Amino acid sequence: MASQSTPSRRQIIISKLFQFCRQIIGPNTSAENTPVSASVSSEPLVITRGEHGISRKQFSPNAIKILYRLKDGGYDAYLVGGCIRDILLGQQPKDFDVVTNATPDQVKKLFRNCRLIGRRFRLAHIVFGREIIEVATMRGHHEAQEDKNQISQSSDEGQLLRDNVFGSIEEDAERRDFSINALYYSINDFSIHDYANGLAAIKAKQIELIGDPETRYREDPVRMLRAVRFATKLDMSIAPKSEKPITELASLLDNIPPARLFEEILKLFLNGKAEANFLMLRKYGLFRSLFPELDKILDKNPGGLEHALIQQMFQNTDKRINTDKKVTPAFIFAALLWFPLLELTKKIQEQEQLIEYDAFAQAMNKVLSESAQHIAVPKRFTLGARDIWHIQHRLDKRAGQRAYRLTQQPRFKAAYDFLLLRVAAGETQHTELAQWWTQYLSQDINGQKEMVKNLGHQGGPKPRKRRRPTKKPTE
């Protein structure tokens, strides 16, 4: 009788757990203090279709097509990670990742719309119009015997440089970063396989690494950025064991390729949680490896104008994203590099005895060049940041046709918003200028001409004095 009663009790516990995960968990819940174990079990907790209530209709139809084709091809295939986690939390998934025991080359043979990418870890991208489904081969341990299809390479700091080691689903679960991402949805019977107590982590509202945190961070320092992003996105906290080594290991981000850090920056600052991510990055010392010069300036003047402008910029960014308005990375980088630019301008002006405008132009090149050593910002965004900076020096030049011509610049609206941001942060000396431009933009063409006329020659070139011709003396 005992053996028959155990499964039913287990089903009740699982059902209650999933109901709990679907609810909005308040900040005072006792689950926050629940200890979470991030060890991987060889026998996962299997939740059947009738127990978890997740429907295939909640997944991308293209992802389901991929699962079935891999299954029909004789391979194991699962939806994994964030899409399972988000549905359990009542959120709409943005990405649907597939994991399989088929190698990248075998996946490519099954799909004509497949392209293989990646050097550090080979991935298959299957393209359906604008939607791309990522298919990864199950990863194995680095101690596994290497052959021509299994290549692993680490740096002296323990960072994985190449990670093309394939393995079983149990090994793949151990290679996942966080327990909440080690949830697998099987197309065979529509069950969920929980290998690392991911459901318990969701209930406890904790982000916890699988395995030894220091080792896992050294393997891939970007995991520290991901821990921050998941914590703010899911309204969770980083578990104490996973949190402890972050500050000490933050400098390992210096070893990450600048192009990869740019992609991570976009995920951190364009997800509607930019302000929270900024504050948490500063808390753990991670911001220093991303924007070292700005970090020094913020440390010199805690809570000052500089911090106010950056925090206000991120608040504005979050509002725009959460109301489905466009945000350009050019504006974000213009703000993040603004104070290092001003500081360097002043330094160059003093050292080389240049006028401010020439020093400013020279400083722009140097600031962007130094920033590229940490984060590889594409040229289309650095050009946008340059335009925003340039226009700041032209906003007080409004006489004649200058004001009108300035409004025709492609980046004028961003530059105007940047001026408003500066004033809101505490640059009160520009309040009158910001008010003038706000009024100017609200006027029709006649009203704008009248405003410019009332300026006189303010901000414009002084009229040239005509010299009267001198009369030649007559003989």
Side-chain angles (χ1 to χ4, degrees), residues 14 87 104 135 188 216 220 285 307 310 335 342 366 370 396 400 423 438:
I14 294 170
I87 289 177
V135 180
N188 292 328
R216 301 309 304 278
D220 186 2
H307 190 279
I310 300 301
L342 295 182
K366 191 170 183 180
E370 291 176 350
D396 63 338
V423 172
T438 300

Side-chain angles (χ1 to χ4, degrees), residues 22 44 86-87 126 149 151 175 183 194 201 231 249 279 295 364 371 400 461 466 475:
R22 292 192 188 98
D86 290 347
I87 289 177
I126 302 179
N149 292 321
I151 303 173
R175 296 294 307 138
L183 299 169
D194 181 1
L249 301 178
L279 296 175
D295 192 74
M364 277 197 295
S371 176
R466 294 185 179 181
E475 293 182 359

Side-chain angles (χ1 to χ4, degrees), residues 209-263:
L209 277 166
I210 297 173
D212 176 61
E214 183 171 343
T215 302
R216 301 309 304 278
Y217 287 141
R218 288 188 179 277
E219 286 176 353
D220 186 2
V222 168
R223 287 179 178 137
M224 293 183 282
L225 300 180
R226 286 169 59 83
V228 168
R229 178 160 57 87
F230 285 137
T232 58
K233 175 186 176 182
L234 304 175
D235 191 24
M236 295 183 177
S237 61
I238 302 176
K241 280 185 63 177
S242 300
E243 179 186 46
K244 186 177 179 181
I246 292 180
T247 302
E248 180 183 348
L249 301 178
S251 61
L252 291 177
L253 286 174
D254 296 339
N255 302 322
I256 300 299
R260 189 179 177 208
L261 282 184
F262 173 73
E263 296 299 327

Side-chain angles (χ1 to χ4, degrees), residues 5-245:
S5 62
T6 302
S8 61
R9 186 186 307 162
R10 182 167 174 267
Q11 290 176 4
I12 293 172
I13 294 172
I14 294 170
S15 297
K16 288 183 177 180
L17 178 59
F18 272 92
Q19 291 173 8
F20 184 80
C21 290
R22 292 192 188 98
Q23 296 173 353
I24 299 175
I25 305 173
N28 296 324
T29 177
S30 60
E32 291 182 358
N33 300 320
T34 304
V36 180
S37 172
S39 59
V40 173
S41 172
S42 59
E43 295 184 4
L45 176 65
V46 179
I47 302 95
T48 64
R49 170 67 178 86
E51 293 169 335
H52 61 66
I54 293 179
S55 169
R56 280 168 289 171
K57 294 179 180 179
Q58 294 173 276
F59 299 122
S60 163
N62 293 322
I64 297 298
K65 287 179 186 177
I66 292 171
L67 293 178
Y68 276 119
R69 187 174 295 185
L70 287 167
K71 177 187 175 184
D72 294 341
Y75 303 107
D76 295 331
Y78 302 83
L79 277 167
V80 64
C83 60
I84 312 298
R85 175 201 69 219
D86 290 347
I87 289 177
L88 290 176
L89 288 168
Q91 299 183 8
Q92 179 62 39
K94 292 184 178 179
D95 300 309
F96 297 89
D97 295 334
V98 173
V99 68
T100 177
N101 60 354
T103 65
D105 291 329
Q106 290 170 334
V107 173
K108 188 171 178 61
K109 288 180 182 179
L110 287 176
F111 299 92
R112 289 182 298 175
N113 53 335
C114 174
R115 62 188 184 203
L116 300 183
I117 67 163
R119 184 175 180 180
R120 180 176 170 271
F121 184 73
R122 296 283 279 169
L123 296 169
H125 276 185
I126 302 179
V127 183
F128 297 90
R130 298 181 66 177
E131 183 180 22
I132 298 176
I133 305 295
E134 187 174 277
V135 180
T137 303
M138 295 173 184
R139 291 175 289 180
H141 296 299
H142 307 120
E143 293 77 13
Q145 185 176 359
E146 294 183 1
D147 58 32
K148 63 180 180 179
N149 292 321
Q150 300 196 15
I151 303 173
S152 176
Q153 182 181 353
S154 300
S155 68
D156 294 337
E157 292 82 14
Q159 180 185 344
L160 288 178
L161 304 178
R162 301 192 71 180
D163 194 15
N164 292 314
V165 179
F166 307 137
S168 64
I169 187 172
E170 292 82 10
E171 291 173 320
D172 185 80
E174 291 182 1
R175 296 294 307 138
R176 296 278 153 186
D177 47 9
F178 304 106
S179 58
I180 57 174
N181 292 336
L183 299 169
Y184 296 75
Y185 178 87
S186 173
I187 198 61
N188 292 328
D189 56 6
F190 317 120
S191 62
I192 292 178
H193 297 228
D194 181 1
Y195 280 89
N197 293 323
L199 292 175
I202 289 174
K203 180 179 179 180
K205 299 185 70 177
Q206 287 196 337
I207 307 296
E208 184 152 6
L209 277 166
I210 297 173
D212 176 61
E214 183 171 343
T215 302
R216 301 309 304 278
Y217 287 141
R218 288 188 179 277
E219 286 176 353
D220 186 2
V222 168
R223 287 179 178 137
M224 293 183 282
L225 300 180
R226 286 169 59 83
V228 168
R229 178 160 57 87
F230 285 137
T232 58
K233 175 186 176 182
L234 304 175
D235 191 24
M236 295 183 177
S237 61
I238 302 176
K241 280 185 63 177
S242 300
E243 179 186 46
K244 186 177 179 181

Side-chain angles (χ1 to χ4, degrees), residues 219-370:
E219 286 176 353
D220 186 2
V222 168
R223 287 179 178 137
M224 293 183 282
L225 300 180
R226 286 169 59 83
V228 168
R229 178 160 57 87
F230 285 137
T232 58
K233 175 186 176 182
L234 304 175
D235 191 24
M236 295 183 177
S237 61
I238 302 176
K241 280 185 63 177
S242 300
E243 179 186 46
K244 186 177 179 181
I246 292 180
T247 302
E248 180 183 348
L249 301 178
S251 61
L252 291 177
L253 286 174
D254 296 339
N255 302 322
I256 300 299
R260 189 179 177 208
L261 282 184
F262 173 73
E263 296 299 327
E264 292 299 323
I265 287 293
L266 293 187
K267 294 176 184 177
L268 284 163
F269 295 155
L270 295 179
N271 69 345
K273 295 284 187 177
E275 181 189 7
N277 285 329
F278 163 66
L279 296 175
M280 193 171 283
L281 290 172
R282 285 273 296 159
K283 173 184 174 182
Y284 294 124
L286 296 168
F287 193 76
R288 187 176 303 115
S289 292
L290 305 175
F291 300 95
E293 296 305 316
L294 175 59
D295 192 74
K296 292 176 186 176
I297 293 171
L298 295 175
D299 284 343
K300 289 179 184 177
N301 188 22
L305 169 67
E306 297 85 358
H307 190 279
L309 186 144
I310 300 301
Q311 189 166 354
Q312 184 65 53
M313 180 270 293
F314 283 131
Q315 287 178 6
N316 296 347
T317 300
D318 289 340
K319 287 179 183 177
R320 293 186 66 86
I321 290 174
N322 293 326
T323 54
D324 294 325
K325 293 182 180 179
K326 290 184 178 181
V327 173
T328 172
F331 189 92
I332 294 175
F333 283 97
L336 291 170
L337 299 177
W338 175 246
F339 292 107
L341 173 62
L342 295 182
E343 191 173 82
L344 186 57
T345 298
K346 186 177 180 181
K347 184 178 179 181
I348 292 175
Q349 196 175 1
E350 292 174 353
Q351 290 179 346
E352 303 187 21
Q353 300 298 309
L354 297 175
I355 62 173
E356 183 183 359
Y357 185 83
D358 291 343
F360 187 76
Q362 191 173 325
M364 277 197 295
N365 295 330
K366 191 170 183 180
V367 162
L368 291 172
S369 176
E370 291 176 350

